[in-house]
Structure formats: C-alpha cells, structure tokens
Amino acid sequence: MVEHNFHQQSHSFVKLVIFLCLLFLSANISVEARIRHYEWEVKYEYKSPDCFKKLSISINGKTPGPTIVAQQGDTIVVEVKNSLLTENLAIHWHGIRQIGTPWADGTEGVTQCPIVPGDTFVYKFVVDRAGTYLYHAHYGMQRQAGLQGMIRVSLPDGVLEPFSYDHDKSILLTDWYHKSTYEQATGLASLDFSWVGEPQSILIHGRGRFNCSIPSIDPTLCNATNPQCTPYSMTVVSGKTYRLRIGSLTALSALSFEIEGHNMTVVEADGHYVEPFVVQNLFIYSGETYSVLIKADQDPTRNYWASTKVVSRNSTTPNGLGIFNYYPNHPRRYPPTVPPSGPRWDDVAPRMAQSVAIKSHKDFIHAPPLTSDRVIVMLNTQNMVNGYVRWSVNNVSFNMPHTPYLIALKYNLLHAFDQTPPPDNYDHKNYDIFNIAPNVNATTSNSIYRLKFNTTVDIILQNANTKNPNNSETHPWHLHGHDFWVMGYGNGKFNQSIDPKNYNFVNPIMKNTIPVHPYGWTALRFRADNPGVWAFHCHIESHFFMGMGVVFEEGIEKVGKLPTSIMGCGESKRFHRP
Amino acid sequence: MVEHNFHQQSHSFVKLVIFLCLLFLSANISVEARIRHYEWEVKYEYKSPDCFKKLSISINGKTPGPTIVAQQGDTIVVEVKNSLLTENLAIHWHGIRQIGTPWADGTEGVTQCPIVPGDTFVYKFVVDRAGTYLYHAHYGMQRQAGLQGMIRVSLPDGVLEPFSYDHDKSILLTDWYHKSTYEQATGLASLDFSWVGEPQSILIHGRGRFNCSIPSIDPTLCNATNPQCTPYSMTVVSGKTYRLRIGSLTALSALSFEIEGHNMTVVEADGHYVEPFVVQNLFIYSGETYSVLIKADQDPTRNYWASTKVVSRNSTTPNGLGIFNYYPNHPRRYPPTVPPSGPRWDDVAPRMAQSVAIKSHKDFIHAPPLTSDRVIVMLNTQNMVNGYVRWSVNNVSFNMPHTPYLIALKYNLLHAFDQTPPPDNYDHKNYDIFNIAPNVNATTSNSIYRLKFNTTVDIILQNANTKNPNNSETHPWHLHGHDFWVMGYGNGKFNQSIDPKNYNFVNPIMKNTIPVHPYGWTALRFRADNPGVWAFHCHIESHFFMGMGVVFEEGIEKVGKLPTSIMGCGESKRFHRP
C-alpha cells in the first residue's frame, strides 16, 4: 500500500516533472521566437552592383543588407559593430514607431550620437505592427553608400490578411552613384556648389547594369560579366499569385515600377492595408513601401521585364531592368521583347491620381480625429543661405546641433540648440509658388517644433518653384515615430479656408512617407502621442543634407531613462563620472 | 605744508599708478606673446595639388595646413572644429613631448577618443624646445588625405643658434595618392588584399605635377594650368645663406632631396643641433625634420631645380620638382638644365652613411645613460594573420583597442585590452633575417609594453626580409612623448653581446624618428620619464595601419586628471553622470 502509494506519487511526480518541463520548454520556445537577435558588422567593401567596381558599405558582407524577418510583437535586437575605420554611423528603422524606445530610432543628431568606429551599438525595439518596412543609415549621406535594407513583419499566428497569395517576395529599389558620398557631400556643401547629378544606375534589389562600353569608363573598374551585376530575377510559377513587397530607398529618384504585361493590385502601403486597386505601373517614392499582388497569368513559355524608370526628373539614368521569370524558363533568359518604356517623366497627373487612389482598406479604417489642435504649413523652397545652395521649410534651412535633441531636451540643455521656434506658416498671401522667389535667400537654424503631448497636428506640405524657372520637384516626406493620416492632396496653393473641407475623413490611408507633387500640396494629420524627438524630412538624401527637414518634440517629460550608449558627443561628452 | 605734502604724495601716487600700469601692461604683453591661439576648421575640399582634382582634407581652407610659428616655452592652443561631416579626426603634434599633457598627444586609440563631426576639441600644450616639428592626423589613414603641417619653434629672445643664416624657410615634403584613404584602407584591410601602390606624385609644400596627358586620365579632373599646381618656388638673393627646414610626412616614400648645384649643411635634426656636415642630397624619411643651410653661391642669372626622388623602393613616382629661384629671375622660370636624376634608389650605403654621420653638435651634447635597465629587441616582419596581410613586431601585429589606453589605464579598466605583455625579443638564434620566414603567420594583439618609470630602455629595431624574396624595406620609426639617443646602426643581425660595445656614448644625436635600413638594425636608448601612454610605430601610414607599432606605458599613476574632452568612445561612453 505504501509502496503502491509511493508508486502512484512517483507516477504523479514524473507527470508533474514532464508537465513542468513542457511548460518550461514551450515558454522558452515562445520567448526565443519573440526576440530576433542580429549581429551586424558594417564595413566598406568593393562591390560591383551595376558592374562598376566601387566602395560600398556592407552589412555582414552584403549590400543591401540582410532582410529582417519578424512577427508582429517581436523584439528586434541588432548589435551593430562599426568597422568603417574612420567613419561613424547610425541606422534608422524606417516605419517602426519606436513606442517607448525613442532612443532606438537611429537618427544621428536627433536621437543619438553617432556610433564611432570600433564601437558596438545595440538597437532594441519592438515591431508592433505587421507590414513592410525599411532600415538605412541616417547620418550625413551615408545611406546612399549602400547601408540599407528591408524589414518584413508578419501577422500573429492565426491572423489573416485581407487578401491571399501563394508566395511572399521582397525587393528594394535604389539608385546608385559612382562617386563617393564624400565627393557628393563636399560638392553640395561648398560655396563652389556642385550638384550630385543623376545617378548612374537604378538597382533592383542591389543589381543594375551600367554600360561598361562607354569609352571614358576605366575598363579595369567596369566588368559586364561580373556575377554581382547579374540582373535581378524573380521566378514564378504560372497560375500562382505573388505578393511582392516593394520598398524604395533611392537617394534622389522617384520611380515607376512595372512588370511587363502584368497587372499589379496594390494591397499595402507603409504597413497599412489599402483598399485594393489595380495598376500597370506603380509610382514609388524614396522611403515608401508597397505590397502588390501579381498573378502569373501570362504566356508561361517566356520571361518578362521588370522595369524601373525615373519619373519627375528629366533623368539620364537608364531604366533599371530585372527579369520576371516563368519557371522553367532559364531565370537569366532575356525576354524576347523591348523593355517597356514606362510613363512620361513629366506627366504629374497619373502620379497624383495614384496618390489620391490610395485609401485605407474598408475593414481596417483608423478614423482620424475630426479636428486638429495645430496647423503647420510648410513651404518647400530651394534657397541660398550665405552663398550656399540650400533647401528650406518656411525659409528656414535645417541644420543639426552638436548635441542630439533627445539628450539636450531630456537633460534640459536648452543652450544646445536655438530655442526660437521655427515658423508655423509662410507669407501665403504674397508668396507666388509658381515662380522663382524674388529673394531666394533663407536663414539657417537648428530650432524645432515642440508639440503639446496628445494633441492632433496637421501638416500642410506646400510645394513651390525652385530656383530654376518652370521647375518644381517632387519631395517625399517621411515622419519618424508616427504614422499620419493622408487627409488630401491638391494642385497649386493650399487654401486654408476651403481645402480642409475636402479632407478625406472616410477612409484616409495611414502612411509614414508621402510625396508632395510639383506645384501641389499634401495635407497630413497625426497624433502627437509618442514621447520623444522625431525628424520629419524630405527623404531625398541630398535634400535633407541641404536642410530640408524639421524636428518635432512631444512628451519629452514622459521619455524614460536614456541609455548611455546614445551619448558621447557634444554636451553628452561632459556627462562624466570619475 | 600739508598741501605740499599732499602734492608730494599725489606725485608719488601718480608715479606708482604709472609704474603699476606699465608693470601690468608688460606682464600682459608677455602673457599674450606666450599663448598662441589657433582656431582651425577641418573639412573636405576639392584640391588639385598636382593638377589632378581630388578630395583633400584642409585646415582653414589650406592643404597642407598653416605652419604653427611659436617661441620656446609658448603654450599652443588649437581649437579644432571637425567639419568632415561623417568622419572623425585626431591631430598629433609630432616631436612635441607633451610633458604633463599626455592627453594632448592626439593619437586616436592611445591618448584620446576621436573627435566626432560637429565637435570642437581643444589641444593645449607647451612647446618646450626650439626646433622644427610637424603635426598630422593620427587616425586610420587620414594623414595622407592631407591633414598635416609644420611647427616652427624659435629660441628664447637673446639665445643664439650655433650657426648663422640670413633667412629662415620651411618646406614640407609629402607623397600624394589619387585614391581616397577609404579606397586605400579597404584594399589593405581586405582578405582580397590590394596594395596602395606607389603614390602618383611627390609634393613640395603641397605642390606637385601629375602628367595630365596620360590618355586614361579624365581631362575634366586633370588640368595642367591649374594655379594650385604651380611648382613650389623658393626665392633667394645671391650671396645670402638660407636655413631651410625640411619635414617629411610622406605616406610611404623615403626621399632624397637636393638643390641642383648647391651644397647643404645639415645643422638640425628633429629639434636637435647636429655637428654640421655637408651633403649634396639629403635623405629624409617620413616623420623626420632637418634644417640645412644653403648658401646662394651659384650663377645668379638663372634658376635651379629643387628635386625630390623616391629611394628605397623601385618607385614609378616621378621626382617632385620645385624651383630654387635667384632673384630677380622670374620665380617660375624653369632652369635651363635637366633636373638632377638623384641617387640610385637601391643603394643603401649612402643612406646608412648619412644616418651614421648625424651626431650631436659638440656644444649641445646630452650624454646618454651609460647603462640601460631593459632591452627590447623588435623584429620587423611582414606577415599573414588569419589570411590578412599584416606587419608585426616580434610576430605580434598591433591593433587598437576600443577604449584609448590612456583612459583604460588611468581608470584601471584592465579588461579593455589584452594584459599579456608583448614579447621583448624574438627567436634571434634561429630566425634568418635574410630570407622569407618559413612560417609567415603572426598573431594580433592590443597588448602594450609597460615600462618602469624613470628607467632607461634600449630598443633594437631589427629589420628582416619581407614576404617577397630578396626584399627588405626601410621603416622610419617614430616615438611619441620622447626623444631617444641614437646609439648605433648596423647591417645584418644585431648581436647583443658585441654590438652594444660599439654604441656611441660620445655624441649621439637625439631624435624622435629614425630609419631602420634594409636588413639592418638601429639601436635607441630613452628614459621612461614622461608619465603617459605613448605610441612607437613605423611612420609609413599603411604599415602602422597594418599593425607595425607598439605602445609604451610609463608612470600612469603620475598622470593628472584626464580632460573629459578625450572621452566618448568605448568604455568612456559609460562614464555617465545623470
């Protein structure tokens, strides 16, 4: 009996142990699955992405870097080791709102000091919403040296998307210069101004094709047979449907992307579901992401061109070409057709039409607040400041302070930057947006917009003529730390008493990057509900470098203790213990 | 009487006031004269020093930077603003011993964290001895982007030099690459090793002449008529004697310098007076300075060539040419003669002869200690480490820690670098210095030599064959924080029981930079009497970058409170107050 009892107890005990082990294991598995740990070494390497050999920045040997694949709610930990020898770095996680971790936004001068060579910086943040996002350098013009990649966040297990597909693929579109970022930046920042010019190539997921037979090209540097510049090829099976996630991190170029002979159904934009609509070509601006569905429904005995064309600029850059490969055709077999020529570069109407067409999916509408607490109108202009060519917002050209704002504000170091707030408007009565300003001079400042916490803010991006006659450019603006509602677009000058009446309160899409079209305006609304300091800027690398950006502060008093890892420059060098 | 008294008192009072005013004024003048204050902005600019346009680092717009002119005992204050956008910097004051200010030595990784873009770093130090010195970047391979210049320290008023001259002139010799330091460093630090090659030009005080008519050269980048590449011209008056201070900060090249048809009397080396001797051509190695006296005693109706030739390497680099201009001939009038061809590049004997000829001036002999407390023999070898090409000392290839040694040692952060001391010798019995080592592999370490304070240390630099057959290079070694006595030179393998008996105890010159000749040895002696942490390394930019250096610590406990301005990287980022 005792023995029996003991046996029973023993049996129960074994069951308990097994149960506890399973519990522990499952808990452990679950925890392991929710922390995605990456170790990245960032360094310069010679690469030939378009057959032309030049220094590029790589992550673990790859340019563009590895795609981060995660699930909604996961914590991403990226240990970034700077092996750039003498150059610092910072990496921004584009589209990730960094709720509760504003110090991990990776924006040099705004949220952190740069990571110096030899140091390892740990970015740790939660990806709290499924969707397609990006990452890239946010320091000087470092992004266009190749330090960039994609983030793909899937839904929680058992949650379904409002569309179906057989396979999930991703491509990153970039443009590529043969000059170093040092050469480009020096030209831009000189009194003897020299413009970076049009990029040499458009890359589809890091692959392009420069014409090595141009006589002035050093043949030892350009090799058309280099496997690194084999065109990007996406293999499909006839009859299947593909979700293609497309991100753009061009330095300069607005792009049109198409797959010859195939329709694309737009279903996601910047991590938000879109009420589906069909396009033959997708316009995509730097900093944007889209998902499109493509059905492999054409003649499967051949391949088709994937083509990217520069729009909005009369660019000399050849179209970027890839191959849409029907299995079992050879993935590098060229299609029998002439590549599609794409839309006219200077036709704004279809681009505006696509912008307007992007609405929130009807089952996923986040209703915007009906009113806003503050309206900031931002006139986008090209200017001169002390003889330098600059870009400005309301005639103020942005420059970075020496102490990152997040540190300066948290420690109340108000002398670290200009405390005069930048203007909320421009002289809209008298300013002629269709002509060159009579006085193109602007001022420069590192002052910021301080937003009242938990208020609703409207931003009107107002485009204008540049310093050249009959020229107005497209500027893709990106907001850190938030998504915004896209309330409306228009041509010409925004009218504050009329245009808000036409805002879309029904189904506005939420995005983090949005174009303002030539001579047009774009209206955004967002909630200032994420404690931190956030950049909002034109995503064209040279434009932000030349001052086309602003910074918002909200709820700084709610920001937790800053990690010491973001310190080390400006005033924070003097936070010294011993 | 009272009134008279008052007058007298008043008179005395006035006299006292005048006296005090004069005293104050003179004190003030004296103080003003003894602090030399510089504000430098360091940035990238396009320059064409040899007619070929490329990015160069400038100081206040100049490459090389301005000459610092001071008097013995002066305090130099240089406020360096880093405007390099994404690249850090550090500036070393080469030949200045930094007694009491080891944190101002400007050696990134050893005495300070790098200066990040946007920050201003203040170097403050005393120039405690008259002579000719240098300054240059000491970070990665930044020096050869052009961040360098000269320091000229004159004697106190009333003190005379042991030689006389009519005019005092300075020139800096450099070599110049058209590839960026990023391209060079990436090639050196890759498994797919690519050597920097021979420089494109030799510059005399920042001016050279590349052949723009080479077909492969982009004509938009090379312009032979650019005034920036007008040859250096030194104007002299017939019959006068010139003191010419010559410094070399070549990246790679050992040079021979001559003035066609003119003798040069060597009178100073690295800030020490030399027992005068006459040369037709002066051999000068990177990091060295010399003063020579030149009498303008030739036919004054014409100009003469100043010529610099690469020696010790079979270089493709053309000789650097300048003009020794007899007034009133036009300073840019070419001499009627073919430029001198200079000595044979591979003739070591005259170079060894010059090294041996340099002795202390008989009236300025600093007697060396008769014995030493420690002898460190340093075998110089070219090696492989984990597949990378490296240079080593006693088979250890140096690499920098993330926390500068000065900070790590002062705060006892002993985990910040390898605590195993590097070897004091090599297997000199079995190592064949005349052949390629059977095993070329070495190890890498950031360990350092810790010297007992106030002891006397001998260093024997032992040269050897490289990884290539029948090849041994010249390495100019530079010691920070000290001058050393040059005890002797020899060919072949140093014999510790015989060679020290031939050391020069009578009149050894003191220097801070010294060559070790191919297959030879050089013996140095110094007093470890300067509290701090000091680099000792080959002054060839690529060699130190590839590990050819060591670090000495002495008297760290005597080092005063470190300025917070040197902090901000590695462990010192975590010295955080709030």
Side-chain angles (χ1 to χ4, degrees), chain A residues 179 183-196 384-389 546, chain B residues 43-48 53 55 220 226 228:
Chain A
K179 288 207 167 179
E183 292 171 305
Q184 291 181 53
T186 302
L188 296 177
S190 296
L191 279 174
D192 179 19
F193 178 78
S194 70
W195 169 240
V196 297
M384 299 301 290
V385 178
N386 302 324
Y388 294 89
V389 181
M546 294 161 80
Chain B
K43 63 177 178 184
Y44 273 105
E45 289 187 272
Y46 280 103
K47 298 274 183 188
S48 302
K53 184 178 169 185
L55 272 196
T220 64
N226 190 319
Q228 288 181 28

Side-chain angles (χ1 to χ4, degrees), chain A residues 481-493:
Chain A
H482 306 77
D483 296 325
F484 46 73
W485 290 274
V486 182
M487 302 306 289
Y489 294 91
N491 291 311
K493 198 189 280 188

Side-chain angles (χ1 to χ4, degrees), chain A residues 43-46 53 55 81 84-89 108 113-121 139-142 179-187 189-190 192 194 216 221 388 402 411 545 561-562 564-578, chain B residues 43-46 53 55 81 84-89 108 113-121 139-142 179-187 189-190 192 194 216 221 388 402 411 545 561-562 564-578:
Chain A
K43 63 178 178 183
Y44 273 106
E45 290 187 88
Y46 279 103
K53 185 178 169 186
L55 272 194
K81 176 164 190 213
L84 295 174
L85 303 173
T86 53
E87 181 176 326
N88 305 313
L89 65 83
E108 188 276 333
C113 292
I115 308 166
V116 303
D119 274 3
T120 297
F121 186 95
Y139 185 47
M141 295 177 70
Q142 192 172 57
K179 288 207 167 179
S180 73
T181 55
Y182 288 86
E183 292 171 305
Q184 291 181 53
T186 302
S190 296
D192 179 19
S194 70
S216 63
L221 294 180
Y388 294 89
H402 302 157
Y411 292 116
F545 180 76
K561 187 168 161 49
L562 301 182
T564 59
S565 58
I566 68 169
M567 315 283 178
C569 62
E571 297 278 326
S572 69
K573 188 178 256 181
R574 285 173 269 284
F575 293 175
H576 192 250
R577 190 191 58 195
Chain B
K43 63 177 178 184
Y44 273 105
E45 289 187 272
Y46 280 103
K53 184 178 169 185
L55 272 196
K81 176 165 190 212
L84 295 175
L85 303 173
T86 53
E87 181 176 327
N88 305 312
L89 64 83
E108 187 276 332
C113 292
I115 308 166
V116 303
D119 274 3
T120 297
F121 186 95
Y139 185 48
M141 295 179 70
Q142 192 173 57
K179 287 207 167 179
S180 73
T181 55
Y182 287 87
E183 292 170 306
Q184 292 181 52
T186 301
S190 296
D192 179 20
S194 71
S216 64
L221 294 180
Y388 293 89
H402 303 157
Y411 291 117
F545 180 76
K561 187 169 158 48
L562 301 181
T564 59
S565 58
I566 68 169
M567 314 284 178
C569 61
E571 297 279 326
S572 69
K573 187 178 256 182
R574 285 173 268 285
F575 293 175
H576 192 249
R577 192 190 55 197

Side-chain angles (χ1 to χ4, degrees), chain B residues 408-420:
Chain B
L409 287 162
K410 184 71 188 168
Y411 291 117
N412 219 29
L413 310 171
L414 297 184
H415 55 283
F417 63 92
D418 184 358
Q419 295 298 307
T420 319

Side-chain angles (χ1 to χ4, degrees), chain B residues 215-443:
Chain B
S216 64
I217 297 300
D218 182 345
T220 64
L221 294 180
C222 207
N223 174 6
T225 65
N226 190 319
Q228 288 181 28
C229 57
T230 304
Y232 173 81
S233 181
M234 172 178 165
T235 299
V236 298
V237 172
S238 181
K240 298 287 184 190
T241 297
Y242 293 82
R243 175 184 190 169
L244 183 60
R245 300 170 188 259
I246 309 169
S248 171
L249 283 173
T250 52
L252 175 67
S253 312
L255 297 176
S256 166
F257 176 83
E258 65 187 296
I259 308 279
E260 182 191 12
H262 291 72
N263 283 336
M264 298 186 286
T265 305
V266 181
V267 293
E268 182 213 350
D270 294 6
H272 291 274
Y273 295 128
V274 169
E275 185 63 24
F277 66 101
V278 175
V279 295
Q280 273 72 52
N281 64 288
L282 177 79
F283 295 107
I284 182 167
Y285 306 91
S286 182
E288 288 191 319
T289 68
Y290 289 98
S291 284
V292 297
L293 301 182
I294 307 170
K295 190 161 188 199
D297 57 4
Q298 298 298 308
D299 172 8
T301 65
R302 53 164 284 199
N303 290 339
Y304 296 82
W305 292 107
S307 177
T308 49
K309 177 190 167 128
V310 177
V311 292
S312 174
R313 301 181 65 87
N314 190 5
S315 178
T316 53
T317 313
N319 293 358
L321 295 174
I323 296 172
F324 192 73
N325 162 240
Y326 274 74
Y327 182 84
N329 295 289
H330 192 285
R332 287 193 293 279
R333 184 173 146 205
Y334 282 140
T337 43
V338 173
S341 57
R344 272 183 50 184
W345 73 266
D346 56 351
D347 193 355
V348 181
R351 286 185 267 132
M352 180 64 102
Q354 178 185 301
S355 288
V356 171
I358 301 170
K359 312 286 191 197
S360 177
H361 189 286
K362 63 180 189 306
D363 301 335
F364 295 87
I365 292 170
H366 301 271
L370 294 178
T371 57
S372 74
D373 300 299
R374 181 172 176 184
V375 178
I376 305 174
V377 183
M378 296 188 174
L379 178 72
N380 290 207
T381 53
Q382 193 181 34
N383 304 85
M384 300 301 290
V385 178
N386 302 325
Y388 293 89
V389 181
R390 300 283 295 179
W391 288 91
S392 307
V393 170
N394 296 343
N395 246 37
V396 178
S397 188
F398 177 73
N399 65 56
M400 282 285 181
H402 303 157
T403 306
Y405 292 108
L406 186 61
I407 300 170
L409 287 162
K410 184 71 188 168
Y411 291 117
N412 219 29
L413 310 171
L414 297 184
H415 55 283
F417 63 92
D418 184 358
Q419 295 298 307
T420 319
D424 272 22
N425 215 322
Y426 72 107
D427 180 10
H428 61 275
K429 281 203 183 102
N430 300 309
Y431 195 98
D432 178 2
I433 65 157
F434 293 103
N435 284 295
I436 300 172
N439 175 5
V440 295
N441 288 331
T443 57

